Structures are given as structure tokens and as C-alpha cells.
């Protein structure tokens, strides 16, 4: 494609870009916008701005826009996520945890409360200990295998039909993947 070699010509012909062949003030030999500057400079500035944006907390409007994008492009977003290398996802999780300590504190306290509310008063110290051991076992299995193990409540603590207890015989160690499959099934169950 042929471009005018100066802005004046670009303006008269209505071309959106022109090409002088001369480096810009930052040394790019690139197209220039008739209504603006060097396209490589624009790209650079956009990248720098984007890095800064990433560090700032998201505005409510941006969060809503993100949600709308996800609803429209659910499958594509999921495909991109599963194609991403595991290390990258792990790094992102670590960063998210560092940046949102309040969120994770809240999650932990919700989980603790759920467990406390579902623990019967008549539970013995030995039984409590055996539950703690299951959590340690899950941690060990995770370290050993590299796959994430979790403690699952066989009958969920909170479910529309029946609420399980936080007691040793309602606990088992399974992989997170199995756990996710299980919770999807529960969501699929028609609710009365
Ligand atoms: Zn430039």
C-alpha cells in the first residue's frame, strides 16, 4: 500500500496515515497518523498505560464491563484459561492473594463459621483431632502428587435438601477436580 510522504498530502487526499521514512523523536521508522503521532509511539504509550492500569484497583464500571464480556464470551474465555500454562495461573493466584488480603480473610472466616455451625456439641476431642488429621493428609497429598487435594464433606454442610455435619465420618480427602465435578452435579440437581 502506498502512503503519502508528508502530512499535508495526507490531509488533502484524506489518507489516515502517511510515511516519511524518517525516524520519530523516539527513533521509530514507522507510519504516522494524519491526525496524531507515530503509530509505534502510540503502541508504546498504550502498553505503559496498561501496566499502570493493571496495578490500580478496578472501578465498578470496569468490573461490570468485565462481567458483561465474560457472559458474552464465556466459551472463549474458558478456552483461553485452559490453554494458559499452569505456572502462569499459579503466579496469578499468588499475586491475587497478595493484593486482596481482605477478600481471603473473609473467605476463611466464612469457612470457619460454616464448620463451627455444623459441628455438633457432643463431638469428642479425639474426633476433632482426627478431622484435623484429614486436613493435614490433604496438604501432604497435594505436596506429594502436585495435584491439589481437598477435604470434602460427603453430605454438603449447606444444601437445599439436607445439611451435613462437620464430623469425621462426613469427611473424605479427594482431589479438587473430583470435588468440582461433584459440586457441578449438585448444581444440576433440580431444586425443590
Ligand atoms: Zn515513534
Amino acid at each position: 500500500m502506498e502512503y503519502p510522504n508528508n502530512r499535508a498530502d495526507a490531509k488533502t487526499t484524506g489518507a489516515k496515515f502517511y510515511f516519511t521514512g524518517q525516524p520519530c523523536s523516539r527513533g521509530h521508522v514507522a507510519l504516522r497518523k494524519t491526525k496524531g503521532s507515530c503509530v509505534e509511539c502510540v503502541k508504546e504509550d498504550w502498553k505503559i498505560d496498561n501496566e499502570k492500569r493493571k496495578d490500580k484497583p478496578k472501578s465498578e464500571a470496569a468490573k461490570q464491563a468485565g462481567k458483561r464480556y465474560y457472559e458474552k464470551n464465556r466459551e472463549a474465555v474458558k478456552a483461553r484459561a485452559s490453554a494458559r500454562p499452569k505456572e502462569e495461573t499459579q503466579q496469578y493466584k499468588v499475586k491475587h492473594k497478595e493484593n486482596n488480603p481482605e477478600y481471603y480473610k473473609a473467605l476463611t472466616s466464612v469457612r470457619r463459621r460454616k464448620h463451627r455451625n455444623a459441628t455438633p456439641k457432643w463431638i469428642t476431642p479425639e474426633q476433632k483431632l482426627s478431622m484435623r488429621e484429614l486436613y493435614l493428609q490433604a496438604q501432604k497429598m497435594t505436596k506429594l502428587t502436585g495435584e491439589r487435594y481437598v477435604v470434602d464433606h460427603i453430605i454438603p454442610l449447606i444444601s437445599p435438601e439436607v445439611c451435613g455435619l462437620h464430623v469425621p465420618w462426613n469427611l473424605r480427602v479427594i482431589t479438587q477436580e473430583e470435588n468440582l465435578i461433584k459440586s457441578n452435579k449438585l448444581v444440576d440437581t433440580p431444586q425443590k
Side-chain angles (χ1 to χ4, degrees), residues 8-142:
D9 281 359
K11 270 185 178 171
T12 49
T13 60
K16 284 187 174 166
F17 299 94
Y18 65 100
F19 184 70
T20 64
Q22 298 298 313
C24 75
S25 59
R26 293 188 201 167
H28 307 123
V29 180
L31 288 179
R32 296 189 195 174
K33 277 187 174 175
T34 310
K35 285 185 182 172
S37 60
C38 151
V39 295
E40 288 302 319
C41 283
V42 172
K43 274 190 207 164
E44 267 183 16
D45 289 346
W46 190 87
K47 264 189 198 162
I48 294 166
D49 283 354
N50 200 41
E51 284 306 312
K52 282 185 194 158
R53 258 198 301 279
K54 275 186 193 167
D55 290 337
K56 280 186 195 161
K58 275 188 186 169
S59 69
E60 225 13 77
K63 279 183 195 167
Q64 290 305 324
K67 265 186 197 161
R68 281 199 301 277
Y69 179 83
Y70 177 72
E71 291 304 328
K72 269 191 194 165
N73 305 282
R74 200 184 282 253
E75 292 313 312
V77 173
K78 278 186 187 166
R80 276 204 299 276
S82 62
R84 218 166 278 144
K86 263 192 177 174
E87 302 80 58
E88 208 174 292
T89 314
Q90 196 55 37
Q91 275 172 6
Y92 174 81
K93 277 184 187 163
V94 170
K95 213 173 144 193
H96 190 263
K97 221 169 179 175
E98 277 170 11
N99 292 338
N100 303 279
E102 293 307 315
Y103 171 75
Y104 285 92
K105 258 190 224 164
L107 275 190
T108 307
S109 79
V110 165
R111 191 168 53 234
R112 284 217 181 109
R113 195 176 327 126
K114 249 169 85 177
H115 286 180
R116 207 183 310 127
N117 289 344
T119 311
K121 285 207 174 74
W122 40 258
I123 202 108
T124 68
E126 290 76 26
Q127 286 167 337
K128 268 192 176 172
L129 189 69
S130 76
M131 290 200 280
R132 200 165 305 143
E133 271 164 5
L134 282 174
Y135 284 89
L136 290 176
Q137 197 192 328
Q139 277 181 11
K140 261 189 213 160
M141 296 285 283
T142 302

